[in-house]
Amino acid sequence: MSLKQVADIVVRGTAGAIGGGASLVLLDSTHTRLIHSSSWGLPQFYLRKGLLKADKSLSEVSNGQVVVISEVRGDSRIQYPELAAKAGIASLLGVPVTIGAVTVGSLRAYSKSTTEFTQADINFVTAMANLAAMGIRVHLLEQEKQKFEKAMNEAESGTALLRQVRSVTFAHPSEEELAHILDFYQIDWVYEPRSFPLTWESDRITEMFTPDFYLPALDLYIELTTLKQSLVTEKNRKLRRLRELYPEIAINLLYKKDIHRLLAKYGCGPLAQAKGQGIGKTLFSNVEIQRRVQELAQQISIDYTDRRPIMVGILRGVFCFIADLVRAMTIPVEVEFMAISHYEAKGNSVRITKDLEMDVSGRHLIVVEDIVDTGMTLNYMLHYLNGKQPASLAVCALLDKKVRRMAEVRLDYIGFEVPDEFVVGYGLDYKDEYRNLPFIGTLESPQVEVGQTASGKVVKGG
Ligand code: IMP
């Protein structure tokens, strides 16, 4: 449905309910003029009455207030009183059309007989104005989508993204590192995609916020802060305001330490230069793990009775988990393994280093993962496996590090949720150590100087 169709429905509904006319006017980009978007039940000469100035024509509504005028005649808030009289308008009710905290226009209901508008009238017209606001939001999102689709088409046809990586001047090395990680997972990104107005003084924008990245495929903005965590109060305030004003957008705040942790996972960056200092605390004992694995196996056996699933383990961290899981299952299963290449500081791209050996089309697949962190590995794997046309595709992850999720992937079976800490044991490693621990614990993290940049290249299995 187009914006015009939404506007027409809103004004007709409003006019019908009030028993007169209605019009929807929207502020132009300078916030000084009002543009007629749609109207119903009003004579043409009234609609063409001339320039509607935001500060003259029911200026209170443009400032976000409801205006009720029972007697239009003689009221100074009416910009064209003679024409209103000629059109037979006796009373008027104006409500703002708002998106977040921003007024973008007003919906006006006109009656030909003198009317004392009730609270129910105001509520109804406000509800109609909210519908109009929703229509405008959908329209704006559609415009954004089209812009990004255009950019993505360009990227496909002319490797525009590669040109972009080379031509973008990043404000900080951590941003460049994140760009390389995203490139590795073939997740498209746009650097400093757009600015969101945050505050206004009359019609002047006084504060804006420009997130560092937008990931169109994940519909996610990322703000990367290189400040110390203790110094980010101001940034947090801006983020809060952004979320209030634009509730439909998803934005993640990453700290420099998050990038270091992402890099450390692949044996790169400053954290990986330091030797781990041993196990911090035990999160799950072997008894707890075995109990939970039995429960998962039981549940999967019930859900997949008569379906003979293929359990696809993603090497290498999964080897303990999948071995215990399939041994506790009570239905026939088949087991497959896959592996992918690992990030190497910059320049490489994810690829399958060990592919499935059996034909999985038309089969029920359950991907078995050790841990899901940002979700980028799983996101890539699921796209790849979907292309093999399985009958169904589910995910069973032993550990879910939910707080660091970037790619929203559906996890059907989860062993445990873990905090935002590097964990090892029961197959999970740090620089190839600790895989043989029978329990899962946190790694006592090595200390890294603030300001140090990531570098180095150590390839390891996951
Ligand atoms: P993601 O792509 O960020 O979700 O990361 C998934 C992969 O990173 C897992 O399969 C692990 O190999 C590795 N990984 C993520 N977090 C940890 C951790 O805390 N300890 C050990 N490996 C991890």
Side-chain angles (χ1 to χ4, degrees), residues 265 369-371 373-377 401 422-423 428-429 462:
K265 226 165 53 178
E369 259 283 29
D370 49 358
I371 181 166
D373 182 10
T374 62
M376 290 195 282
T377 304
K401 208 187 274 182
F422 200 85
V423 296
L428 291 142
D429 75 312

Side-chain angles (χ1 to χ4, degrees), residues 222-293:
I222 292 184
E223 174 62 10
L224 184 59
T225 177
T226 51
L227 298 170
K228 278 189 194 169
Q229 256 169 292
S230 55
L231 298 177
V232 292
T233 323
E234 175 59 11
K235 189 160 273 188
N236 279 329
R237 182 193 64 77
K238 284 189 170 186
L239 270 176
R240 266 200 309 279
R241 177 124 180 101
L242 182 80
R243 287 183 174 126
E244 271 165 30
L245 290 177
Y246 309 93
E248 68 283 357
I249 75 152
I251 182 158
N252 265 9
L253 177 65
L254 295 186
Y255 295 93
K256 193 158 82 175
K257 77 165 173 30
D258 292 318
I259 302 299
H260 288 165
R261 284 186 189 177
L262 270 176
L263 290 168
K265 226 165 53 178
Y266 312 110
C268 304
L271 285 176
Q273 310 304 310
K275 182 109 182 98
Q277 295 176 348
I279 302 300
K281 57 181 181 291
T282 303
L283 288 181
F284 308 106
S285 70
N286 188 249
V287 172
E288 286 172 305
I289 296 171
Q290 292 308 327
R291 195 180 302 138
R292 186 72 190 118
V293 171

Side-chain angles (χ1 to χ4, degrees), residues 155 158-171 175-176 179-180 183 189-191 213 346-348:
T159 55
L161 278 174
L162 276 179
R163 282 203 306 276
Q164 183 188 32
V165 179
R166 281 189 220 110
S167 62
V168 166
T169 309
F170 291 98
E175 292 172 355
E176 192 169 355
H180 286 303
D183 283 345
W189 51 268
V190 185
Y191 186 59
F213 290 92
K346 65 178 69 162
N348 68 328

Side-chain angles (χ1 to χ4, degrees), residues 241-395:
R241 177 124 180 101
L242 182 80
R243 287 183 174 126
E244 271 165 30
L245 290 177
Y246 309 93
E248 68 283 357
I249 75 152
I251 182 158
N252 265 9
L253 177 65
L254 295 186
Y255 295 93
K256 193 158 82 175
K257 77 165 173 30
D258 292 318
I259 302 299
H260 288 165
R261 284 186 189 177
L262 270 176
L263 290 168
K265 226 165 53 178
Y266 312 110
C268 304
L271 285 176
Q273 310 304 310
K275 182 109 182 98
Q277 295 176 348
I279 302 300
K281 57 181 181 291
T282 303
L283 288 181
F284 308 106
S285 70
N286 188 249
V287 172
E288 286 172 305
I289 296 171
Q290 292 308 327
R291 195 180 302 138
R292 186 72 190 118
V293 171
Q294 298 282 330
E295 286 169 0
L296 290 174
Q298 223 171 44
Q299 189 58 51
I300 296 172
S301 302
I302 293 168
D303 295 349
Y304 282 81
T305 312
D306 300 328
R307 285 204 276 170
R308 197 184 173 92
I310 304 177
M311 313 294 283
V312 182
I314 310 298
L315 290 171
R316 285 185 263 168
V318 81
F319 75 98
C320 293
F321 177 42
I322 197 167
D324 287 341
L325 186 71
V326 295
R327 281 182 297 169
M329 285 172 66
T330 52
I331 54 167
V333 291
E334 287 169 60
V335 181
E336 261 281 16
F337 289 100
M338 291 183 73
I340 58 167
S341 59
H342 277 262
Y343 180 74
E344 297 176 18
K346 65 178 69 162
N348 68 328
S349 181
V350 65
R351 73 199 148 75
I352 309 281
T353 53
K354 189 206 167 312
D355 206 345
L356 297 170
E357 284 168 29
M358 52 176 91
D359 178 10
V360 297
S361 69
R363 298 290 306 273
H364 297 280
L365 305 186
I366 303 178
V367 176
V368 187
E369 259 283 29
D370 49 358
I371 181 166
V372 183
D373 182 10
T374 62
M376 290 195 282
T377 304
L378 195 54
N379 184 51
Y380 175 80
M381 284 304 204
L382 293 178
H383 274 106
Y384 179 80
L385 289 172
N386 255 324
K388 303 253 172 205
Q389 277 141 9
S392 67
L393 185 56
V395 177

Side-chain angles (χ1 to χ4, degrees), residues 14 20 32 83 91 168 187 199 205 275 348 362 381 398 418:
T14 307
T32 54
L83 291 178
S91 305
V168 166
I187 294 176
T199 49
I205 295 167
K275 182 109 182 98
N348 68 328
M381 284 304 204
L398 176 65
V418 284

